[in-house]
Amino acid sequence: MSRSARSRDKGGPRPGKYPVRFGTAELLADADRPHAWLISVDGVAQSYVDLDDPTNLEFDYVRRLGDVVDCLPEGPLDALHVGGAGCTLARYIAATRTGSRQLVFDADGPLIELVREQLDLRSVPRLKVRIEGGREGVASRHDASADLVVVDAFERASFAGGLATVEFVTDVARVLRDGGAMLANITDGPGLAFARRFLATVGEVFSHVVLLAEPGVLRGRRFGNVVVAASRAELAVDVLTRKAASSAYPARCVSGDELRKLRGKALPVRDAEPVASPVPPEDVLGLF
């Protein structure tokens, strides 16, 4: 019997509200899947975890992250995650890339403890979690020690401060091996002002950059998630384009000249002149 099965036999996760560092977390059961759970903080969806099937990536943007992971060279990965919550992508990597070693940095200790106790985080093989900020965590890692760095850290619905600057992205590049990739999930709304600056920031450091987002977000019609992948090596643009287009909720893959046009004249963000990330409008807060 698996550890998750034993955990459920002992009563399993308990839906309810729990105080955490950045607000109040709520654990909600999925009515359609008996062992799947949604974690939200102050009404903002943070993670969806399917204890029976870690390859079930319910959130569209997490599916986009998973698509990029699937396009990396075969075999186990050494992965760093800046931001953890339910550790959905880390669970996915553990299930699809057997033998991967993963380290998560998350500043919200009570939230991680909730996930450990309620959502069986300890059962994920070769996964470690440190209660630490992302910048400090990445700075502590050796040069060329990771194949993948995932940046998906939010505080009260906004992308965590200090993770969208040239200085931080340069440190991520230092930690990555040749052929490794940085993945980031950000959010933005009409005009995509923050996304354009983030693209400029990442493009200052990496020679190959790809953006994945739903057409409505790209056209500025609504607030939503934007996934950015970056590497010193070429990314599998054709494969990512097909995967995004055939998704249950189709997305677009933007690269090359089209991406440069989207970026326009936006300037990179630097530590000396930080830029606040946008906050979702009240009518869509529960979706992020």
Side-chain angles (χ1 to χ4, degrees), residues 113-166:
E113 189 59 27
L114 170 66
V115 174
R116 280 196 181 110
E117 296 301 321
Q118 300 286 341
L119 298 180
D120 208 24
L121 189 59
R122 293 184 179 91
S123 71
V124 183
R126 309 193 77 178
L127 173 66
K128 297 181 180 180
V129 182
R130 291 185 183 174
I131 308 306
E132 188 172 12
R135 287 196 66 153
E136 296 79 11
V138 171
S140 71
R141 309 310 294 166
H142 294 298
D143 294 358
S145 59
D147 303 302
L148 175 67
V149 177
V150 182
V151 184
D152 185 10
F154 284 74
E155 297 174 2
R156 297 183 175 89
S158 293
F159 190 65
L163 303 181
T165 69
V166 169

Side-chain angles (χ1 to χ4, degrees), residues 72-80 99-102 126 141-149 170-182 206 230-235:
L72 296 177
E74 294 182 1
L77 299 171
D78 287 329
L80 300 180
S100 293
R101 297 182 299 182
Q102 301 186 80
R126 309 193 77 178
R141 309 310 294 166
H142 294 298
D143 294 358
S145 59
D147 303 302
L148 175 67
V149 177
T170 299
D171 206 28
V172 169
R174 173 189 64 79
V175 169
L176 285 171
R177 299 183 178 120
D178 289 340
M182 172 184 173
F206 291 102
S231 178
R232 290 183 288 255
E234 289 191 16
L235 295 161

Side-chain angles (χ1 to χ4, degrees), residues 10 14 28 34 41 46 51 57 87 101 104 114 119 131 145 166 183 185 189 197 217 219 237 248 252-253 263 266 275:
K10 294 178 182 179
R14 297 184 300 276
L28 298 169
V41 177
Q46 298 286 324
L51 295 174
L57 303 180
C87 296
R101 297 182 299 182
V104 174
L114 170 66
L119 298 180
I131 308 306
S145 59
V166 169
L183 275 175
N185 168 50
R197 301 244 7 218
V217 175
R219 293 174 185 148
V237 174
R252 286 193 56 209
C253 178
R263 168 185 166 175
V275 174

Side-chain angles (χ1 to χ4, degrees), residues 31-46:
D32 297 321
R33 287 179 174 265
H35 302 123
W37 298 84
L38 174 70
I39 305 170
S40 66
V41 177
D42 288 348
V44 180
Q46 298 286 324

Side-chain angles (χ1 to χ4, degrees), residues 186-204:
I186 63 172
T187 55
D188 207 353
L192 296 176
F194 182 73
R196 294 174 197 273
R197 301 244 7 218
F198 190 77
L199 287 173
T201 300
V202 173
E204 186 92 346

